[in-house]
Amino acid sequence: MEPGPAGERPSVAAARRSGAVLIASGQVAARDGKLIAEGRVGEDVSLDVARACARQCARNVLTAVRDELSGLGAVEHVEAVSVWVASAPGFTDQHLVADAATALFTEVFGDDAGRHARVALGVAALPTGSPVEVQATFRLRTP
């Protein structure tokens, strides 16, 4: 089957559950339907603004999880977090940007349940011009 026209977007789930695992799709740094910043960190976006973006991305991940599960009570712990940072050449502080997302997960779930494996990657660009995108995987409580 051939893909549709370039402007046609496929339906993607904000979160997908498989047994005791919930994977939240990547979320950009949008609040109220608008990006809170645009561009590459170290060029158009400061480190502090990028950290605020990462925190907003993590909030958006938690919103997707909450909407899928009708709350956050079923989350046992955060398994893994991936953070992509649109980076200017030479920018090497992706881990400091990702720390802001990690901090939010720890605030929400506590030191033990919020502690997770993580990757922080620098990329040339992200969807819609967002400086940061965050994706996460969660372990759910079993009845």
Side-chain angles (χ1 to χ4, degrees):
M1 180 176 193
E2 292 294 316
E8 216 173 280
R9 300 287 328 263
S11 176
V12 177
R16 183 77 180 190
R17 184 177 184 167
S18 179
V21 174
L22 181 79
I23 301 171
S25 290
Q27 297 290 326
V28 297
R31 182 184 307 132
D32 300 324
K34 297 175 86 172
L35 289 176
I36 60 174
E38 291 184 43
R40 295 194 295 183
V41 183
E43 185 175 85
D44 311 303
V45 178
S46 70
L47 178 60
D48 287 341
V49 170
R51 289 174 53 78
C53 288
R55 191 171 175 88
Q56 183 62 46
C57 292
R59 278 190 194 107
N60 294 342
V61 165
L62 291 174
T63 297
V65 171
R66 184 198 65 215
D67 290 351
E68 178 69 19
L69 302 174
S70 300
L72 297 175
V75 174
E76 184 177 304
H77 63 265
V78 183
E79 290 271 348
V81 174
S82 298
V83 180
W84 293 272
V85 181
S87 301
F91 181 79
T92 59
D93 286 335
Q94 291 83 3
H95 62 292
L96 298 179
V97 175
D99 286 348
T102 290
L104 181 65
F105 291 125
T106 302
E107 288 170 26
V108 170
F109 296 107
D111 289 336
D112 188 44
R115 188 171 178 203
H116 52 267
R118 188 183 81 191
V119 62
L121 300 168
V123 298
L126 288 166
T128 68
S130 182
V132 182
E133 183 170 351
V134 174
Q135 183 272 333
T137 302
F138 300 85
R139 173 72 53 190
L140 304 177
R141 299 185 200 306
T142 53

